[in-house]
Amino acid sequence: MSEFAPAPAPNDPATDKVMQWTAGKVVACIALFILAGIAEIAGGWMVWQTIRENKSWYWAVIGSLVLIAYGFIPTLQPLDTFGRIYAVYGGFFILLSYLWGWVLDGDKPDVGDWVGTGIAMLGVLLALFWPR
């Protein structure tokens, strides 16, 4: 195929690679979503602490470095679909954000927060594990 040839159509059975889920891939996938969430939230929280809570400037520098590292974590996912990885990650981000705020800032989630988080997690797990 020439480098100038058009890309194959999406969902073309001749070119699609369907990932087969294994227990190891499920654990790795979920662990990477959690790691990415912790990195993104920690980095953003450290910048927030500098700007909003008058912490020292180096908190923002460290937070920024953590955010750079966060950008690389999704590339370790066993999935090959950028959009799906980031969409599913969004549900994990919601859950982890509430937990972070509760543990570190004392902002206890209310019933609406938990119900919304449950709906989001159900939706993203459905999208992640839907048979294709």
Side-chain angles (χ1 to χ4, degrees), residues 31-41 70 73-74 77 89 93 96:
L32 286 166
F33 283 134
I34 292 169
L35 179 62
I38 290 170
E40 183 180 9
I41 295 163
Y70 148 75
I73 295 170
Q77 283 286 358
Y89 165 68
F93 182 83
L96 293 168

Side-chain angles (χ1 to χ4, degrees), residues 12 32 35 46 48 61 78 83 117:
D12 179 357
L32 286 166
L35 179 62
M46 291 183 80
W48 176 281
V61 172
T117 299

Side-chain angles (χ1 to χ4, degrees), residues 17 76 87 103 109 127:
K17 295 183 293 181
L76 304 173
V103 171

Side-chain angles (χ1 to χ4, degrees), residues 42-43 45-47 49-50 55-65:
W45 184 81
M46 291 183 80
V47 172
Q49 292 297 305
T50 300
K55 297 284 186 186
S56 182
W57 61 269
Y58 63 83
W59 280 59
V61 172
I62 294 169
S64 297
L65 293 172

Side-chain angles (χ1 to χ4, degrees), residues 3 17 22 42 47 51-52 54 60 66 105-106 112-113 116-117 127 132:
E3 68 180 285
K17 295 183 293 181
T22 64
V47 172
I51 304 303
R52 293 285 193 96
N54 298 313
V66 171
D105 293 329
D113 296 328
T117 299
R132 294 184 167 77

